[in-house]
Structure formats: C-alpha cells, structure tokens
Amino acid sequence: MNKLLSIKNLSKIYYSQKDAIKAIDDISFDVYETDFISVVGPSGCGKSTLLNILTNMDSKTSGTITTKNNLKFGYMLQSEALLDWRTLKDNVLLGLEITNTKTKENVDYVMHLVENYGLKDFLNKYPRELSGGMRQRASLIRTLALKPDILILDEPFSKLDYQSALRVSCDVLKILKQEKKTAIMVTHDLAQAISLSNKVIVLANRPSYVKNIYEIKREKEGSPIENRKDKYFSYYYDLIWKDLENE
C-alpha cells in the first residue's frame, strides 16, 4: 500500500512575551492510501493544531513532514459552511471557481458525485431547504471536487444530533470507500472513531504526544452502525477509554 504522508518527531511551541507553551511534542505516525485515521485525545490537547500544521494553516517548530509528490489536502470543517445565497449546485462548484479549475471534466465529476450520493433532485435548492445530512453531503462533495489525496475532517458531525450524525457518518464512509479516498478525522466521540476508522491515534494531554496507535480489526467490514455491533468494538472502546481516563 502506498505511503502518502510520514510525520516524524513533530513539535509545536507557541511563544508569548511571558513564556513558551509546548502544544504538541514528538508526534510521529504514517498515513497510507485509503487509511481512515481518527485522532482522539483530551480537550485542548492539540488535535486541531496538528491538523492545521498538516494543511499549512500553522507552522511546525521542529520535526519533519514527508509527503508524496504534489500531495493535496481537502479540509472539511465542523460546520458545512455552505453559502446561504447559493444553490446546492453553486455551492458544490465553489471550490472549482475559487481555484480557477471549473473545466467541463471537473464539473462532470462533481455532477457524478451529486447524482451518486442522492442530491441530484436538490441542485436548485438553497441550504435552508436541505436537511443537515444533505448539507453535510454537499460539503463533502465540494471538498472532493478538488480531488484531494487526503481529506481532513475536523469534528465533521459535531453539529448534528445523534441520529443524524450516525446516518451522515454512514454516508461519509460509503463515499470515501467508493471514491478510494484517505481521511484523517479529529473527534471527541470514541464510538464514532472506532466505527469509522481502520486506525485510531490516541494523543496524551498537553504537551501532546502519541500515547497509542490502535489498528482496528473487525470480523467483517460494514457501515458505522454495523461496526458498532462487531465483537471487537467494546474491546477497543475500553482500551481507548482507559488511555483517555488516565489523562
């Protein structure tokens, strides 16, 4: 399997006039093609800092980040961030417009995603006319439109109620598997992390370091709902919970 990203001994220190605060310390892990990696840890431990460094929204203090040539990230925010005054069609094409890549080939690819994932009949609807799940799917399609190698998902279901979050997580996993995409997700929800991912990275409290990396094994791969019924689910849940409880 192709390695897309390698992080070695990554650290970040924030400086102020009075002191220096080490946010993350000596973080190392690798990301391979089609990985779905969840990053969990205590609130304020530096999960978002890690994502921001990976996507060049923040700088590292030390360590190395090695990527395959021309690696592209796609960032899906906590909120779906659709523009209220644009239709669903205009929203999913927004990234192509901003990057000046709105070619017929790219538009056709986006329309293929829209049709495949149940939004074709809503192309002329505005965000306020869509359910939370539809808006989340539209946000994911807008991110996929730029054909990223790795999707960064920052608490993607945190704005949804429990039932909607389950449904949308099923949609997201199905889309990522069918499009053969790689993802790194930050979440506070352990059940969500275990049911979606093939790897879960547990970060310690600040200064954050990698406390454990769990390779998630299952009897049979299924949807996030089905994966929660897997016989190994509670085993991983207890292990990760103990890691976090000790923090």
Side-chain angles (χ1 to χ4, degrees):
M1 196 172 291
N2 293 330
K3 186 187 291 186
L4 299 181
L5 174 68
S6 185
I7 299 163
K8 300 293 183 188
N9 310 118
L10 190 70
S11 297
K12 174 66 180 180
I13 301 174
Y14 290 103
Y15 295 96
S16 68
Q17 291 180 338
K18 294 183 178 180
D19 54 16
I21 299 172
K22 182 171 278 190
I24 57 177
D25 182 30
D26 199 27
I27 285 180
S28 300
F29 64 90
D30 297 323
V31 180
Y32 291 86
E33 217 165 39
T34 70
D35 267 346
F36 194 124
I37 295 175
S38 285
V39 181
V40 301
S43 294
C45 75
K47 298 185 293 294
S48 293
T49 297
L50 173 62
L51 296 189
N52 289 340
I53 292 172
L54 292 181
T55 53
N56 291 319
M57 295 170 67
D58 201 350
S59 59
K60 60 185 173 63
T61 301
S62 62
T64 60
I65 299 174
T66 307
T67 67
K68 79 160 197 175
N69 291 338
N70 303 313
L71 185 79
K72 289 171 61 178
F73 286 97
Y75 207 129
M76 187 171 165
L77 301 171
Q78 289 183 14
S79 166
E80 71 274 353
L82 300 180
L83 301 179
D84 292 338
W85 59 92
R86 293 176 69 104
T87 62
L88 184 148
K89 180 179 180 179
D90 291 336
N91 266 294
V92 295
L93 294 176
L94 182 61
L96 299 181
E97 294 175 14
I98 292 172
T99 56
N100 198 30
T101 54
K102 194 178 175 182
T103 63
K104 182 181 185 303
E105 179 186 355
N106 287 339
V107 171
D108 287 346
Y109 171 65
V110 175
M111 291 302 108
H112 157 78
L113 293 176
V114 166
E115 181 169 5
N116 263 21
Y117 304 117
L119 294 176
K120 181 180 178 182
D121 293 338
F122 303 92
L123 281 170
N124 295 317
K125 301 292 185 181
Y126 290 89
R128 63 181 177 274
E129 300 175 280
L130 305 174
S131 70
M134 289 177 183
R135 292 195 298 270
Q136 206 73 5
R137 270 182 278 160
S139 177
L140 178 58
I141 290 169
R142 181 181 58 193
T143 306
L144 291 173
L146 300 177
K147 299 179 180 177
D149 299 290
I150 299 178
L151 271 82
I152 300 294
L153 309 173
D154 188 1
E155 296 280 1
F157 316 117
S158 62
K159 304 294 184 183
L160 301 173
D161 63 75
Y162 179 78
Q163 193 173 11
S164 296
L166 270 179
R167 283 200 301 265
V168 175
S169 69
C170 290
D171 290 340
V172 167
L173 187 61
K174 177 182 175 183
I175 292 170
L176 294 184
K177 281 185 176 295
Q178 289 188 356
E179 300 303 317
K180 296 180 171 60
K181 291 297 180 181
T182 305
I184 302 173
M185 179 177 75
V186 158
T187 180
H188 285 91
D189 188 327
L190 298 191
Q192 194 178 91
I194 297 164
S195 64
L196 282 164
S197 312
N198 66 300
K199 294 177 192 171
V200 176
I201 297 174
V202 182
L203 298 185
N205 215 339
R206 184 174 292 184
S208 186
Y209 61 89
V210 175
K211 193 167 185 179
N212 269 312
I213 298 179
Y214 293 98
E215 299 265 356
I216 305 298
K217 306 297 183 184
R218 300 185 181 94
E219 287 187 290
K220 181 182 177 182
E221 289 294 332
S223 71
I225 294 174
E226 292 165 339
N227 290 343
R228 291 174 192 232
K229 302 172 187 175
D230 189 272
K231 74 174 185 179
Y232 296 113
F233 177 85
S234 59
Y235 167 75
Y236 289 115
Y237 194 101
D238 289 344
L239 283 178
I240 296 170
W241 176 255
K242 287 175 183 175
D243 279 345
L244 296 177
E245 197 173 31
N246 291 334
E247 291 299 316

